[in-house]
Amino acid sequence: DGSEEIVGFDVDMMNAIAESQGLKIEWVNMEFDSLIPALQSNQGDIICAGMNKLAGDRAEKADFGDTYFESDLMLLVKADSELTGIDAVTSDMKLASQIGTTGGDMVQQMKEEGKIADGVVLNQWTDCYLQLQNGDVQGVIVDKPVGEAYLNAHSDIAKFVGDSFGDHEEFAFAVQKGNTELLDKLNAGLAELKENGTYEELVAKWFS
């Protein structure tokens, strides 16, 4: 909304976990592909940013907690688009996604294989959405819950088309390798949120 406040499902969830476990959270906004290096260099204690723990070699670089959301990739297009899904994308089209994500990897691969004219990989999801709104790209490859959160407030601007695609994803928070004490607290907090109903309330709030 143009403010400096960081908001979202992950933010509300982690703040609730912190409250239940007696932790104090300070949020820092970083580019997605810099999150694990920041964790490794002690610039942060926790990653909580819709990160798929199954992707690439991430599990070798950080310790991930219990899965808090499962996802697949979706194609997000303008509300008046005639595209019917990822299989309908043609070689003269452009797609966008966020850098360092599985979607970002996919648009780059599609460009290399000649399936699209260009793969636009940007630092923030908001930049991808602006590209779509401005007509600079024909679609955005996005994790389903990330796109749902956007559509929750912008259903008049964009829509999902077709079925999900790509490898199944499991979102989890991450800590530095070996920091079992903090990870155990986070897992315990997540379990408490699911038990007392807070988790479902947040899902309804952000993905209704």
Side-chain angles (χ1 to χ4, degrees):
D1 60 2
S3 74
E4 295 297 316
E5 183 183 6
I6 300 173
V7 300
F9 173 81
D10 288 23
V11 175
D12 286 354
M13 179 193 70
M14 185 54 67
N15 285 341
I17 289 174
E19 183 176 354
S20 77
Q21 298 299 306
L23 303 173
K24 182 179 179 181
I25 295 291
E26 176 188 353
W27 287 95
V28 180
N29 187 29
M30 296 183 179
E31 295 177 4
F32 195 83
D33 63 342
S34 69
L35 293 176
I36 288 181
L39 194 68
Q40 294 174 315
S41 59
N42 295 312
Q43 297 180 53
D45 301 294
I46 305 167
I47 295 172
C48 188
M51 181 170 282
N52 175 21
K53 67 180 182 181
L54 304 180
D57 60 353
R58 289 174 180 169
E60 299 174 11
K61 299 177 179 178
D63 285 344
F64 285 87
D66 296 335
T67 299
Y68 64 79
F69 216 102
E70 297 186 27
S71 176
D72 298 287
L73 295 176
M74 294 291 295
L75 182 63
L76 186 74
V77 300
K78 291 182 73 172
D80 59 355
S81 173
E82 296 183 359
L83 275 173
T84 56
I86 192 68
D87 293 336
V89 173
T90 57
S91 59
D92 60 337
M93 294 181 177
K94 297 180 181 180
L95 299 180
S97 196
Q98 186 185 33
I99 190 170
T101 65
T102 50
D105 293 342
M106 178 166 284
V107 297
Q108 289 178 318
Q109 181 180 349
M110 291 179 73
K111 178 185 176 182
E112 292 170 1
E113 295 175 352
K115 294 180 179 179
I116 55 176
D118 196 13
V120 181
V121 182
L122 302 169
N123 290 331
Q124 302 291 340
W125 284 120
T126 48
D127 297 332
C128 297
Y129 301 146
L130 284 174
Q131 287 272 309
L132 181 65
Q133 292 171 22
N134 294 336
D136 298 320
V137 300
Q138 283 70 53
V140 176
I141 294 181
V142 62
D143 291 310
K144 186 176 181 180
V146 178
E148 283 179 338
Y150 174 73
L151 290 176
N152 203 24
H154 300 91
S155 60
D156 59 325
I157 296 175
K159 63 183 179 181
F160 281 146
V161 289
D163 298 324
S164 60
F165 52 90
D167 294 332
H168 179 69
E169 301 182 355
E170 294 187 13
F171 294 172
F173 36 73
V175 301
Q176 198 171 59
K177 295 292 284 187
N179 193 351
T180 55
E181 181 180 355
L182 177 56
L183 193 60
D184 288 346
K185 287 185 178 182
L186 298 179
N187 284 332
L190 177 61
E192 182 176 318
L193 260 59
K194 289 185 174 181
E195 184 176 343
N196 64 24
T198 301
Y199 177 88
E200 290 302 327
E201 291 175 3
L202 296 180
V203 169
K205 172 184 175 180
W206 288 102
F207 307 122
S208 62

